[in-house]
Amino acid sequence: MPETYDIGLGNNNSHLRQEADSDFVSFWDSQARNLSWFSLWTKTLDWNPPFARWFVGGTLNASYNALDIHQASKSAKTAILWEGEDGQSRNITYGELFIQVQKFANVLKSLGVQRGDRVTIYLPMVPELPIAMLACARIGATHTVIFSGFSAASIRDRVSDSQSKVIVTADGGYRRGQIINLKSMVDDAIKSLDFVNHVIVLERAKNKISMTPKDKLWGQLMADVSDLCNAEELPSDHPLYILYTSGTTGKPKGVLHGTGGYLTHLYSTFKWAFDIKDSDIFFCTADIGWVTGHSYVVYAPLLCGATQVMYEGAPDFPDVSRMWQILQKYQVTIFYTTPTAIRLFMKFGAEIPNSFDLSYLRLLGTVGEPINPEVWRWYFKIIGKERCPIIDTWWQTETGGMLISPLPGLETVSLKPGSAGHPIPGINIGIVDENGNDVPANTKGYLVVKNPWPGMLLSLWDDDEKYKTTYWSKYDGCYYSGDYAMRDDDGYLWLLGRADDVLNVAGHRIGTAELESCIVSHPSVVESAACGIPDDVKGETIIIFAVLRQGILGGTKLEQELTDKIRTDIGAIATPKHIYFVPKLPKTRSGKIMRRLLKAIGTNEEIGDTSTLEDGSAVTQVQHAFDEVHRRTK
Ligand code: ATP
Ligand code: MG
C-alpha cells in the first residue's frame, strides 16, 4: 500500500480542474476577473511563441489591487506583523500601508522617476521594502530588488544591467546580531556608475554612514510629500519587476515579469494552495530578495487582503528555536518555508519545536528544492502533528508562481511524502525524453510546460535572444524548466533535481534527489548532496557529501553502512565511490545546495562564479574533507 495521507479542509471546487482542462485560456480569463481592472481586455492571450501577452488591452495597477481595493472594508486590518531580529515589532494596517506607499510614490516622482524607469531596491527585510516596491508599481516604475546579503560587486552588475537611476537602500541591516553596512556597499557599487542620480537611505540601524551629494534620507523625503498619489493605469503586460535568479546553476538571469497575468496567477494560487481565510496569520520565511518573497510575501497576500508575519533576520538567531517562538507569538496558522530550513531544524531534534505551542497551525508549505520524504515526514509529524496538509510547491523565478502543488484550498488532498503532487489547474506539465517525446509513467525525463501560463516571464531583461535560447530552444514550443522529474502511476510528480546535475552511471540516469533522499532516510544523516565525476569505465562515478545530525561522528563504518543502504534501496549501480562527511554544504544565499561547486572540487576544476555563495567556509570545509579522504586512501 503506498504511503498517502488524505486531508480535507472542507473545500470542494475540483470542478475548476475540468474547466481548466477543457479550455485553459477561458479558464484564466475567468480567474483574471477576480482582480480589479480599470478597463477589461479585448484578447485573453496573444501567443506569439515564445512570447505570451495575457489580457491584452486590459489596464490595471498592482498597488491598486494590493491596497486601494481593501480600504473600504479592511483599512484597520493588520497587513504586516513585523518582527525585527532584535525583538522589536511593528504592526502595520492596510490603511497605514496605503498612506506610506502613496507618500513614497510621491517621493519617487519628486526625484524624477517616471513610468517605465527602473528603481533598484537594496533593503533588509523591513516594511519599507514592500512599501518601496508598491510605490514603484503605483507609478509604473519597474522595481529590481537585490537581496541585502549581496556584496558591492553583485549590486554593480545588477544596477548596470537594469540601468536604474535611483537606488533605495538603508544605513544598515541586522544579520545574526551584526549590523551590515548596506549604504557603504552601495557607495562602492556605484562609484563608476554615473547614470545613478539618487540614493535614498532609510535609517534602519542608525549606524554611521557617510553621505554623498547623491544621497537623501528616507525620513526627510517622506516628511515633505503629500499622502495622496493616484495609481497609474497600466497595460496588463507592463513590466512590474526584474528579478535575478538564485544562481544555483550559474550566472543569475534577469527575469522580467509583467502585471495582469502575473497577479492573476498569484491571486488564484494563493487561494487554492494556502486556502487563505480572513482570519489566517500567514508566515512565509522567504526573503523578499527572492521570487518567493516577491510573489508570496508581497503581492499574493496583499492582493488577498491577508495578515502576515514578516521576519527580519536569520531563522537560527539567536538560536534554532527562533522560528517556533515567532509561530507561537503570532499564532501563525499557515507556515511556508524551505527544505533547507526544515533540515536545519531537524538537525537539532524534535525537543525544540515540541516545547512551543504550535497548535494554531493548519497548513504547511515548502519550496525551493526537492523535499526528501524523510524530511517531509518530520515536518508533517513534528510540526504539523499529522493534522496539517503539506503543500510542496514547485515553481521557479521564471514561472512567477506555483505550477505544481497540492491544493487544499480547492479540494481534499492526497499527499505522498516527497512528491509535489499534480499540476495546478490550467498548467500543462510534460515529462519528456531528449527528443521531446512524452515518457511513460515511472520513467524519468525533463520537466517542460506545454502551454503558456499567466505568471510566466515576459522575457529576460534586455535579452530576448537569451530568453529564447535558455528556455525555448531545446524543445519546439515547449518551455524547458531545466529540472529532472518523473510522473508515477497515479499521476503524481516527483522532482528529481536539476537536469544538469543528473548522474549518468553506465548508461543509467539517476537524479540527485533519489540518492540524496536515500541517504537522508538513514537516522544519522540530515542533509546530503550527490554529484558525478568522470570515470574511465562507467562514464561517471558517484560521490556523496553528507551532513550528520548533531552529535554524530562519521567514519568508515558509517560510510559502509550508507553505501550498503544505497545498494539495497537503489541498486548496485548507484554504489558511490566515496561518501564524505562534512559539517555543512555550500549553498546559495537563497539556501539551495550548489552541487556544481562540489563537482568542481571532486574533479579538481575551477570553482567558477561564486557570487551567490552564502558561506565561503563551506567550500573550504568540503575541500578539506575531500583532501583528507584522498590522503588516507592514497
Ligand atoms: P538559477 O536558475 O540561476 O540556477 P535557481 O534555479 O536556483 O537559480 P530559482 O528560480 O529561485 O533559482 O529556483 C527554481 C528552482 O528551484 C527550480 O528550477 C527547482 O530546481 C528548484 N525548486 C523549487 N521548488 C521546488 C520544489 N518544490 N521541489 C523541487 N525543486 C524545487
Ligand atoms: Mg533556475
Side-chain angles (χ1 to χ4, degrees), residues 279-464:
S279 53
D280 276 313
I281 308 289
F282 177 77
F283 179 25
C284 167
T285 62
D287 193 286
I288 292 174
W290 309 116
V291 74
T292 307
H294 277 58
S295 295
Y296 297 105
V297 176
V298 180
Y299 289 106
L302 297 176
L303 291 177
C304 294
T307 297
Q308 70 175 315
V309 174
M310 176 178 172
Y311 171 57
E312 180 185 38
D316 54 351
F317 187 85
D319 58 53
V320 278
S321 71
R322 187 64 190 263
M323 283 298 121
W324 319 124
Q325 263 171 35
I326 295 176
L327 260 63
Q328 174 178 279
K329 173 171 174 189
Y330 294 103
Q331 307 186 340
V332 169
T333 60
I334 303 174
F335 182 54
Y336 190 32
T337 191
T338 59
T340 285
I342 305 166
R343 291 188 300 248
L344 170 76
F345 304 138
M346 261 180 92
K347 184 172 175 175
F348 292 91
E351 299 72 34
I352 301 173
N354 280 344
S355 63
F356 290 87
D357 176 12
L358 306 180
S359 62
Y360 291 90
L361 281 173
R362 65 181 196 92
L363 199 152
L364 302 172
T366 80
V367 62
E369 289 186 295
I371 179 163
N372 322 100
E374 200 55 36
V375 177
W376 191 101
R377 289 187 197 99
W378 190 90
Y379 195 30
F380 186 67
K381 239 174 120 167
I382 307 298
I383 308 305
K385 310 286 184 233
E386 301 184 30
R387 278 184 298 109
C388 306
I390 294 182
I391 54 165
D392 172 4
T393 63
W394 178 87
W395 58 294
Q396 308 178 299
T397 309
E398 295 87 341
T399 71
M402 303 166 190
L403 295 193
I404 306 172
S405 174
L407 300 174
L410 199 70
E411 61 209 356
T412 294
V413 290
S414 245
L415 307 166
K416 293 192 189 188
S419 164
H422 304 272
I424 67 165
I427 303 297
N428 187 350
I429 297 281
I431 309 289
V432 300
D433 63 18
E434 207 54 57
N435 302 316
N437 300 315
D438 287 317
V439 299
N442 295 316
T443 310
K444 301 168 214 171
Y446 303 102
L447 192 150
V448 297
V449 192
K450 295 188 168 185
N451 289 330
W453 66 97
M456 85 185 233
L457 67 171
L458 297 175
S459 185
L460 289 178
W461 170 251
D462 203 23
D463 204 345
D464 287 348

Side-chain angles (χ1 to χ4, degrees), residues 245-249 253 368-370 392-393 396-397 483 498 592:
T245 56
S246 310
T248 310
T249 52
K253 302 170 277 284
E369 289 186 295
D392 172 4
T393 63
Q396 308 178 299
T397 309
D483 279 3
R498 311 282 178 147
K592 299 179 193 214

